[in-house]
């Protein structure tokens, strides 16, 4: 319309479009549009360059941002304070804190003076990299220069100090924060409560919670999670369960993580009956029982509770009764055990009455893999083979996923080859798992080859696999290939998330 009406686009026009492209993750197109500005007799300005650098950094591509910075300098376009802050943020985001500090020092020599954004970015970056002593020193410098941290950076600093056992320093920062009229928010209070609960200082933790509520800040699911964990650590399971009920009454719905904490605490103390009762409560509360819920019961084995279970006739009779006379109102342990990756603990109770089958083994292996414990999953597979339980395609898929998650891509590919020898044909799940595994291991070329094979076989990638492949191609500068995959994705009616 502009051209039709004889209106020539100016630099602001291009800057608006470039910003829109960057927000939509189309960095390559943004760069091409900047390069096309000269054909209209226009030169990119500081906003143009900075916008693209910011877009690259948001995409995790600091190296390209630095190349844009070099082009900006070569074009004799001066770096503004915003540009410098964007690049410092990029270094900090990548954990390259020394380069961030060196760059800030170089810019100081050229006349740059840090502002509140600069200080907050550097303190945040120092904390994330574990340099809390330097972060505190920079905080002192900030106060001397009459700058202040924002609430996010205060919380990051307090959290980091608490995690490294520097509680006194954390309280000093908190007092400094309050003295400068920065009111702690729910995140600040949760950090303090979590730390006190971890150290089993429950009286002080509840005092902080009371102070928080007196200030009109209601506890959230993270507050309750910390308090319940602390009560379990101090063996106050009755109080923990009371707090769970109080949480519900307050309208704060407990999630699976909170139930897991309680189940784990009860199992660790040998209170299996109550732990199994909580499984029923989870269902009645509308909280989905996931793999981790059952996995926490591995304490049954770890803490040597199997003998206690065997010596508990009422519990054994209860399990047997559930098996023989399933009650639709009561969690069916047998079916749950086949459907989810149940822990060794529950299996020890139930397997004397329920035969092991391929589904049981697969779900156990899947549970361990989701917990990041591939080696135990592989041992379970050996037990499965020793028990002459047939290995299914599902078994192979689960283990391929485990190898890929651990970055052991060669072993994943070898297992896929064994799958073919055994007569199992890879399906869409297998292909998607391998393509993502290859991408995450840096084997993008092989991922593309497998992608082509998938299309030939009539399979398609999941959206998340498309995104992983496109992201890795862009990271390695293979923009044409990335656009090819994106076009393929669009042509197959797969939505971009």
């Amino acid at each position: 319309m502009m051209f039709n009406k004889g209106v020539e686009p100016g630099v602001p026009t291009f800057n608006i479009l470039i910003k829109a492209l960057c927000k939509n993750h189309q960095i390559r197109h943004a760069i091409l549009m900047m390069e096309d500005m000269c054909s209209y007799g226009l030169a990119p300005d500081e906003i143009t360059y900075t916008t693209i650098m910011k877009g690259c950094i948001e995409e995790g591509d600091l190296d390209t941002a630095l190349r844009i910075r070099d082009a900006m300098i070569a074009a004799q376009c001066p770096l503004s304070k915003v540009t410098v802050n964007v690049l410092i943020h990029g270094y900090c985001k990548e954990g390259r804190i020394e380069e961030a500090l060196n760059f800030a020092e170089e810019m100081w020599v050229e006349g740059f003076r840090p502002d509140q954004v600069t200080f907050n970015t550097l303190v945040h970056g120092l904390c994330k990299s574990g340099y809390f002593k330097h972060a505190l020193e920079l905080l002192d410098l900030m106060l001397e220069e009459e700058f202040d941290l924002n609430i996010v950076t205060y919380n990051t600093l307090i959290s980091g100090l608490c995690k490294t056992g520097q509680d006194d320093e954390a309280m000093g920062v908190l007092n400094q924060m309050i003295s400068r009229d920065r009111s702690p928010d729910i995140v600040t209070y949760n950090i303090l409560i979590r730390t006190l609960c971890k150290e089993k200082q429950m009286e002080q933790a509840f005092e902080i919670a009371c102070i928080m509520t007196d200030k009109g800040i209601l506890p959230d699911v993270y507050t309750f999670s910390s308090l319940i964990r602390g009560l379990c650590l101090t063996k106050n399971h009755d109080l923990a369960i009371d707090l769970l009920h109080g949480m519900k009454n307050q309208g704060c719905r407990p999630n699976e993580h909170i139930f897991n904490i309680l189940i784990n605490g009860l199992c660790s103390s040998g209170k299996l009956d109550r732990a199994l009762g909580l499984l029923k409560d989870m269902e009645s509360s509308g909280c989905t029982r996931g793999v981790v819920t059952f996995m926490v019961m591995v304490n049954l084995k770890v803490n040597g509770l199997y003998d206690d279970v065997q010596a508990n006739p009422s519990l054994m009779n209860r399990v047997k009764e559930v098996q023989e006379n399933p009650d639709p109102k009561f969690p069916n342990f047998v079916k749950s055990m086949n459907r989810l990756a149940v822990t060794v603990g529950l299996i020890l109770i139930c397997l004397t009455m329920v035969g092991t089958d391929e589904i049981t083994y697969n779900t156990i292996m899947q549970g361990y893999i989701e917990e990041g414990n591939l080696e135990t999953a592989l041992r379970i597979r050996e037990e499965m083979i020793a028990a002459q339980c047939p290995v299914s395609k599902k078994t192979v898929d689960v283990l391929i996923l485990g190898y890929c998650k651990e970055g052991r891509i060669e072993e994943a590919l070898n297992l896929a080859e064994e799958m073919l020898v055994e007569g199992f044909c890879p399906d869409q799940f297998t292909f998607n798992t391998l393509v993502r595994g290859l991408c995450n291991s840096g084997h993008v070329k092989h991922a593309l080859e497998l992608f082509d094979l998938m299309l030939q076989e009539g399979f398609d990638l999941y959206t998340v696999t498309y995104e992983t492949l496109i992201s890795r191609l862009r990271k390695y500068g293979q923009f044409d290939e990335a656009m090819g995959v994106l076009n393929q994705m669009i042509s197959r009616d797969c939505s971009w998330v």
Side-chain angles (χ1 to χ4, degrees):
M1 286 177 63
M2 288 178 71
F3 282 113
N4 290 339
K5 293 182 181 293
V7 181
E8 290 291 330
V11 173
T13 313
F14 280 94
N15 286 343
I16 291 168
L17 292 170
I18 286 169
K19 184 177 180 179
L21 287 167
C22 289
K23 286 183 71 174
N24 282 277
H25 314 287
Q26 299 181 48
I27 306 299
R28 179 60 180 165
H29 287 295
I31 294 171
L32 290 172
M33 180 163 283
M34 180 182 72
E35 293 171 349
D36 196 39
M37 288 175 70
C38 63
S39 62
Y40 295 90
L42 302 171
D45 63 5
E46 172 265 329
I47 294 174
T48 319
Y49 287 114
T50 304
T51 301
I52 293 179
M53 281 187 269
K54 186 178 179 181
C56 292
I57 287 165
E58 291 301 317
E59 294 293 305
D61 191 359
L62 176 60
D63 291 334
T64 299
L66 293 175
R67 286 196 292 272
I68 297 296
R69 188 258 326 252
D70 294 340
M72 182 178 181
I73 294 170
Q76 298 183 333
C77 181
L79 275 65
S80 70
K81 185 169 286 189
V82 175
T83 313
V84 175
N85 283 336
V86 163
L87 289 168
I88 289 173
H89 168 68
Y91 281 121
C92 291
K93 186 181 177 187
E94 295 288 315
R96 295 159 63 173
I97 190 66
E98 288 186 16
E99 291 172 87
L101 293 167
N102 290 337
F103 178 63
E105 196 172 321
E106 290 172 17
M107 292 298 100
W108 176 278
V109 173
E110 295 186 18
F112 166 75
R113 292 298 176 263
D115 58 10
Q116 186 147 317
V117 174
T118 320
F119 278 117
N120 273 278
T121 303
L122 287 171
V123 171
H124 195 84
L126 286 164
C127 289
K128 289 294 185 183
S129 299
Y131 296 105
F132 299 108
K133 180 183 175 183
H134 299 298
L136 287 170
E137 291 170 355
L138 194 57
L139 172 62
D140 291 337
L141 178 60
M142 282 184 70
L143 300 179
E144 288 175 13
E145 297 290 330
E146 298 185 353
F147 291 118
D148 201 359
L149 294 184
N150 59 36
I151 188 68
V152 174
T153 312
Y154 266 121
N155 287 339
T156 303
L157 183 52
I158 292 169
S159 176
L161 291 168
C162 287
K163 285 179 180 177
T164 52
Q166 302 179 64
D167 296 353
D168 292 340
E169 290 82 354
M171 290 305 297
V173 173
L174 177 66
N175 292 332
Q176 183 70 58
M177 176 182 175
I178 294 169
S179 71
R180 298 180 71 83
D181 296 326
R182 287 279 184 180
S183 300
D185 61 5
I186 182 69
V187 176
T188 319
Y189 285 114
N190 280 342
I191 291 166
L192 297 172
I193 291 169
R194 181 188 66 202
T195 303
L196 291 167
C197 289
K198 189 177 178 182
E199 296 173 355
K200 302 181 182 180
Q201 299 180 38
M202 296 311 298
E203 189 174 333
Q204 294 92 323
F206 277 103
E207 284 178 9
I208 296 290
C210 289
I211 292 170
M212 182 177 79
T213 52
D214 288 344
K215 291 184 177 293
I217 302 174
L218 293 177
D220 61 9
V221 68
Y222 298 104
T223 318
F224 284 111
S225 173
S226 295
L227 291 170
I228 288 172
R229 183 186 292 279
L231 289 170
C232 287
L233 286 172
T234 54
K235 308 298 181 185
N236 290 306
H237 298 110
D238 290 337
L239 283 174
I241 291 173
D242 288 343
L243 191 58
L244 176 71
H245 294 313
M247 177 183 182
K248 294 178 186 176
N249 293 336
Q250 189 178 295
C252 187
R253 184 178 174 182
N255 57 20
E256 183 192 349
H257 178 64
I258 289 178
F259 277 107
N260 289 344
I261 292 169
L262 271 168
I263 291 170
N264 188 51
L266 291 167
C267 286
S268 298
S269 299
K271 299 176 180 178
L272 181 62
D273 275 322
R274 300 187 72 180
L276 295 177
L278 275 177
L279 287 176
K280 182 178 181 180
D281 288 345
M282 285 184 75
E283 188 173 35
S284 63
S285 299
C287 182
T288 304
R289 294 169 296 154
V291 169
V292 178
T293 304
F294 289 101
M295 286 300 294
V296 295
M297 288 190 171
V298 77
N299 287 288
L300 289 171
K301 183 175 182 181
V302 173
N303 293 293
L305 297 176
Y306 180 38
D307 293 336
D308 295 338
V309 172
Q310 284 186 313
N312 187 335
S314 64
L315 180 59
M316 293 301 287
N317 289 335
R318 182 176 169 187
V319 174
K320 187 175 181 179
E321 182 181 347
V322 171
Q323 179 201 354
E324 294 177 350
N325 304 295
D327 183 346
K329 297 179 182 178
F330 195 85
N332 189 324
F333 297 131
V334 178
K335 288 184 180 178
S336 291
M337 205 165 64
N338 286 340
R339 190 173 65 253
L340 300 170
V342 199
T343 73
V344 175
L346 278 179
I347 293 167
L348 288 173
I349 302 172
C350 301
L351 283 189
T352 54
M353 304 166 198
V354 187
T356 51
D357 62 6
E358 172 258 330
I359 299 175
T360 308
Y361 279 117
N362 287 344
T363 49
I364 299 167
M365 283 188 283
Q366 183 179 346
Y368 277 116
I369 285 167
E370 290 185 12
E371 289 288 285
N373 193 343
L374 175 61
E375 295 306 321
T376 301
L378 293 172
R379 286 198 294 273
I380 296 292
R381 180 189 62 170
E382 296 304 319
E383 291 178 18
M384 180 180 183
I385 294 169
Q388 297 183 332
C389 183
V391 174
S392 68
K393 181 189 171 299
K394 171 67 175 177
T395 313
V396 180
D397 277 339
V398 165
L399 291 171
I400 287 175
L401 175 64
Y403 281 126
C404 288
K405 282 186 72 174
E406 295 288 315
R408 295 160 63 173
I409 191 65
E410 288 187 16
E411 291 167 276
L413 292 169
N414 290 338
L415 188 57
E417 284 185 23
E418 291 176 21
M419 172 193 280
L420 292 170
V421 173
E422 294 293 329
F424 298 125
C425 294
D427 60 9
Q428 187 152 311
F429 178 86
T430 318
F431 277 119
N432 273 274
T433 303
L434 287 170
V435 170
R436 286 201 304 275
L438 286 163
C439 286
N440 292 329
S441 299
H443 300 286
V444 182
K445 179 183 175 183
H446 298 299
L448 277 174
E449 291 171 356
L450 192 58
F451 171 61
D452 291 337
L453 178 61
M454 281 184 70
L455 300 182
Q456 290 172 20
E457 296 292 327
F459 295 117
D460 202 357
L461 294 186
Y462 302 140
T463 300
V464 65
T465 314
Y466 269 118
E467 291 172 353
T468 303
L469 183 54
I470 292 168
S471 173
R472 291 301 182 274
L473 287 167
R474 286 187 13 251
K475 182 177 180 180
Y476 292 106
Q478 297 174 251
F479 299 110
D480 292 339
E481 291 83 352
M483 287 304 300
V485 174
L486 178 61
N487 290 332
Q488 185 67 54
M489 178 182 180
I490 295 168
S491 70
R492 297 176 79 89
D493 296 324
C494 188
S495 321
W496 178 270
V497 177

